[in-house]
Amino acid sequence: MSGQTLTDRIAAAQYGLTGSEVARAVCKATTHEVMAPKKKHLEYLIQATQESNVNIPQMADTLFERAGNASWIVVFKALVTTHHLMVHGNERFIQFLASRNTLFNLSNFLDKTGSHGYDMSTFIRRYSRYLNEKAFAYRQMAFDFGRVKKGADGVMRTMTTDKLLKAMPTLQSQIDALLEFDVHPNDLVNGVINAAFLLMFKDLIKLYACYNDGIINLLGKAV
């Protein structure tokens, strides 16, 4: 199914009537169109996380609601939008996600409709697990490995032994969850999974940099 459906338009109109422009933008970012969430909607939501009067829990709840859709396209785009906000939004967005007991419960998700339903459902289950792990890591450490300073005077390089022994297994778990996405070039068949892959690839570079800093720190303490 390509293009915005009538359901998409009705949902966006409903949010517009209730006065929630943020929820409306979430709806527009997660349509049934087989393409990555549009840049203008992501930028609007990123800016919204910076505004003190914006209700972050309501924004997150709308994303969770969209992730409960039956269509793999809507669900996958909800995950991509959430990931985008975790990386580029105000830190209070990921802080809120980390404060929740549960995030995405998609371990049994399966869309049996359409030509890509089965294949994309597999990646949705893996992707949701990674995002859950990313939020859990924040809860454990009170910072995002992707955002912290790297290098000689970075967070992982200057961390105390006790904190480092807690951080390394947490970081390893996040890296493991990311690698379990296990996507291959011939799986990158549409704009939605391509957007997810790009976000995860950028995360992995940052996570490996943190891991490298942590190992250097550990080896230095062992001398």
Side-chain angles (χ1 to χ4, degrees), residues 134 144-148 150 174 203 206-207 210:
K134 186 177 174 74
D144 179 0
F145 287 110
R147 291 176 182 247
V148 295
K150 318 290 192 297
Q174 188 176 336
D203 270 11
K206 295 171 186 174
L207 294 175
C210 276

Side-chain angles (χ1 to χ4, degrees), residues 11-13 15-17 20-29 41 45 62:
Y15 285 123
L17 288 171
S20 177
E21 286 300 315
V22 168
R24 187 167 178 265
V26 168
C27 201
K28 283 183 169 292
H41 301 314
L45 291 169
T62 308

